[in-house]
Amino acid sequence: PKVTFSITVAESDEVVSRISQNRASLGICLLNRIPPELQAQVLYREYFGLFCGPHHRLFHQPQIALSELEDERAVSFQTEVEGGALEPVTRLRLRAKISTRWSGVSSNLLELRRMIVSNVGIGALPLHVARADVSQGLLRQLPPYDELPLVNIYLLTNPRRRLSDAEAALVKACNEMLQRVDLRERTYS
């Protein structure tokens, strides 16, 4: 009760930079490679699928073939590039033959979700994040429905950082949870 948390939302590259420069105690981020000077552990995993909003032409269609996504306008995370942290999602887009010319780009999941709901374009979201919007009729999952990309979300720390007692307790609690809870239980489907 006597601890104050300070949370900053930033792009994964910025999280890595802050942890590397000892400007933050820990970070949660996507990684395309683990920096050798830092410690990274898989915090959880999430599957990504493609979605459209209620104003999209495919939203109310009873059946959707994968071929119907070809050349569709799309929105994207900035890291959905070859060699980026979301490269598996890039391969999903290629599989669906979605347009490579993006209608919108963001590093923020909520902004990308808003663009999909507003019909700026179809886009990829973590399945567990989109589940509530699908049940409320704001999003519809599009094909493919199988062999979806699995993306790791990492807990990142700097072993050279001198932690306060509170920071050390938090990192210790996180590490104990990661040891105790199997990765399958930390995988959102």
Side-chain angles (χ1 to χ4, degrees):
K2 295 180 182 177
V3 173
T4 301
F5 289 92
S6 174
I7 298 173
T8 303
V9 177
E11 294 180 28
S12 291
D13 287 346
E14 177 64 19
V15 172
V16 171
S17 175
R18 288 180 187 204
I19 300 299
S20 294
Q21 297 170 7
N22 278 320
R23 294 187 297 144
S25 306
L26 61 90
I28 298 172
C29 62
L30 298 162
L31 293 173
N32 60 344
R33 67 170 187 78
I34 296 173
E37 73 279 4
L38 301 179
Q39 291 179 339
Q41 300 176 77
V42 177
L43 183 60
Y44 64 93
R45 289 179 163 168
E46 55 190 7
Y47 285 93
F48 276 73
L50 297 172
F51 294 88
C52 70
H55 304 293
H56 192 274
R57 67 179 182 83
L58 297 174
F59 189 85
H60 297 288
Q61 205 170 295
Q63 297 290 327
I64 302 169
L66 182 61
S67 61
E68 294 181 78
L69 274 61
E70 189 170 339
D71 294 326
E72 277 292 323
R73 293 178 315 133
V75 296
S76 171
F77 289 102
Q78 291 175 331
T79 53
E80 284 184 49
V81 294
E82 189 175 330
L86 288 175
E87 184 175 1
V89 176
T90 302
R91 289 193 300 271
L92 176 67
R93 289 176 180 285
L94 292 173
R95 182 175 161 200
K97 299 180 182 173
I98 295 171
S99 174
T100 55
R101 202 179 116 257
W102 296 334
S103 300
V105 178
S106 180
S107 61
N108 185 289
L109 184 141
L110 294 176
E111 292 305 321
L112 198 70
R113 178 202 158 276
R114 282 192 220 4
M115 285 191 268
I116 296 168
V117 170
S118 300
N119 199 29
V120 174
I122 63 175
L125 294 170
L127 297 180
H128 68 99
V129 171
R131 188 173 291 129
D133 287 328
V134 168
S135 68
Q136 293 175 17
L138 294 173
L139 291 174
R140 177 172 180 187
Q141 188 175 355
L142 301 169
Y145 305 108
D146 62 342
E147 298 178 34
L148 295 176
L150 182 62
V151 175
N152 291 332
I153 309 299
Y154 291 90
L155 175 66
L156 195 62
T157 56
N158 188 335
R160 297 179 317 237
R161 182 177 175 88
R162 187 162 183 237
L163 300 173
S164 71
D165 290 344
E167 292 169 333
L170 177 61
V171 170
K172 180 181 178 196
C174 289
N175 288 331
E176 287 173 354
M177 181 278 300
L178 292 173
Q179 295 299 315
R180 186 179 66 253
V181 180
D182 188 83
L183 184 56
R184 288 181 299 237
E185 294 179 58
R186 294 182 277 124
T187 300
Y188 291 94
S189 58

